[in-house]
C-alpha cells in the first residue's frame, strides 16, 4: 500500500491534471465517449441533448424508447454514437424537476460518478462532458459546475487519460475553471 501525504492545504488527487477544460462544440470531440443526461420521463429536450442527437445522425430518442424500458434515476446507459467522432454516448438518468425546490445535488453528482464508473468498466480512456443540467430546467450554472467537477474528480483513476469538460462559451469556461481550481486543478 502506498501512503500519500499531501502538504497542508493542498489537495491530494494525483489524476486531477488529466481533466481538461475546453471551449468548443461537444459534438466535435474525438474522445471514447460523450456524456449526456436525460430526465426519467424520457423527455429528450435541452440544447445540448438536441445538438448531440442531431450530430449523431440517428434518432437517439427513438433508440432509447425502443431499448431502455422504465429507466430509474441514477442508471447509466451506453448508446452507439452514430456519426459523432466519439465511439459512445453515455446517458445518465435524472429525475424530472418541476421546480428548483425538487432539485437534489446528489442526483447530478451521482449521475456524473456513474457515467465515470461505466466508462471505467467499458475500459474507455477518454470522455467529454458538456455543462450538464445547467440549462433552463437545471441547476444554476455555478452549482451545476461544482457538482459535475466533484463527480468527475471523485472517480478519476489511472485508467483515464483525458477527461474533458467542453463549454461553448467563455462565461461557462470561467465558472468551471473556478470550480476546478478549488479542487486543486492548476489549469494544466
Amino acid at each position: 500500500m502506498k501512503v500519500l501525504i499531501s502538504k497542508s492545504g493542498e489537495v491530494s488527487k494525483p489524476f486531477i491534471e488529466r481533466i481538461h477544460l475546453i471551449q468548443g462544440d461537444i459534438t466535435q470531440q474525438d474522445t471514447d465517449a460523450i456524456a449526456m443526461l436525460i430526465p426519467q420521463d424520457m423527455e429528450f429536450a435541452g440544447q445540448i441533448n438536441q445538438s448531440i442527437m442531431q450530430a449523431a445522425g440517428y434518432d437517439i430518442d427513438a433508440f432509447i424508447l425502443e431499448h431502455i424500458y422504465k429507466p430509474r434515476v441514477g442508471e447509466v446507459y451506453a448508446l452507439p454514437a452514430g456519426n459523432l467522432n466519439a465511439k459512445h454516448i453515455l446517458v445518465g438518468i435524472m429525475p424530472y424537476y418541476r421546480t428548483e425546490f425538487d432539485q437534489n445535488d446528489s442526483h447530478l453528482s451521482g449521475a456524473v460518478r456513474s457515467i465515470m464508473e461505466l466508462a471505467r468498466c467499458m475500459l474507455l480512456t477518454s470522455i467529454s462532458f458538456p455543462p450538464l443540467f445547467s440549462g433552463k430546467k437545471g441547476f444554476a450554472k455555478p452549482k451545476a459546475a461544482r457538482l459535475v467537477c466533484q463527480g468527475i474528480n471523485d472517480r478519476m483513476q489511472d485508467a483515464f487519460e483525458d477527461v474533458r469538460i467542453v463549454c461553448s462559451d467563455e462565461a461557462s469556461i470561467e465558472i468551471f475553471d473556478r470550480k476546478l481550481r478549488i479542487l486543486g486543478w492548476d489549469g494544466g
Side-chain angles (χ1 to χ4, degrees):
M1 180 171 95
K2 184 177 179 181
V3 178
L4 182 62
I5 301 173
S6 66
K7 296 179 185 175
S8 178
E10 289 189 17
V11 178
S12 176
K13 286 290 190 176
F15 307 115
I16 196 167
E17 295 309 319
R18 295 182 185 178
I19 299 173
H20 301 100
L21 190 53
I22 298 170
Q23 185 170 352
D25 182 350
I26 189 69
T27 65
Q28 299 300 310
Q29 302 307 304
D30 60 351
T31 50
D32 292 335
I34 291 175
M36 64 184 281
L37 299 174
I38 59 172
Q40 187 177 15
D41 68 0
M42 307 290 276
E43 181 185 327
F44 209 86
Q47 183 179 2
I48 292 171
N49 290 354
Q50 292 296 322
S51 65
I52 291 172
M53 185 168 66
Q54 184 177 16
Y58 72 100
D59 192 352
I60 294 174
D61 191 23
F63 184 90
I64 289 172
L65 291 173
E66 186 176 323
H67 293 91
I68 299 174
Y69 181 71
K70 292 188 180 181
R72 293 191 175 117
V73 170
E75 292 180 337
V76 180
Y77 300 92
L79 307 179
N83 296 332
L84 294 169
N85 294 330
K87 298 173 186 147
H88 307 279
I89 301 170
L90 302 183
V91 179
I93 306 298
M94 291 284 289
Y96 173 76
Y97 296 131
R98 291 174 302 184
T99 69
E100 65 185 69
F101 294 106
D102 296 335
Q103 294 176 345
N104 184 329
D105 295 1
S106 66
H107 289 142
L108 179 53
S109 58
V112 173
R113 286 183 192 100
S114 295
I115 288 170
M116 292 288 289
E117 193 62 28
L118 178 60
R120 185 191 63 77
C121 290
M122 292 175 64
L123 305 177
L124 305 180
T125 61
S126 60
I127 184 168
S128 295
F129 287 88
L132 297 171
F133 244 66
S134 62
K136 292 177 187 173
K137 294 185 180 181
F139 291 93
K141 288 184 185 222
K143 187 173 194 175
R146 177 178 58 83
L147 297 171
V148 168
C149 291
Q150 282 177 332
I152 291 171
N153 195 41
D154 287 349
R155 294 296 185 262
M156 281 301 293
Q157 297 181 8
D158 188 37
F160 293 112
E161 296 171 8
D162 181 16
V163 176
R164 300 177 188 176
I165 299 173
V166 182
C167 302
S168 61
D169 59 90
E170 188 63 36
S172 295
I173 289 281
E174 289 174 11
I175 292 169
F176 274 94
D177 183 73
R178 282 193 304 271
K179 300 305 178 185
L180 285 167
R181 288 183 189 280
I182 290 169
L183 294 173
W185 183 73
D186 70 3

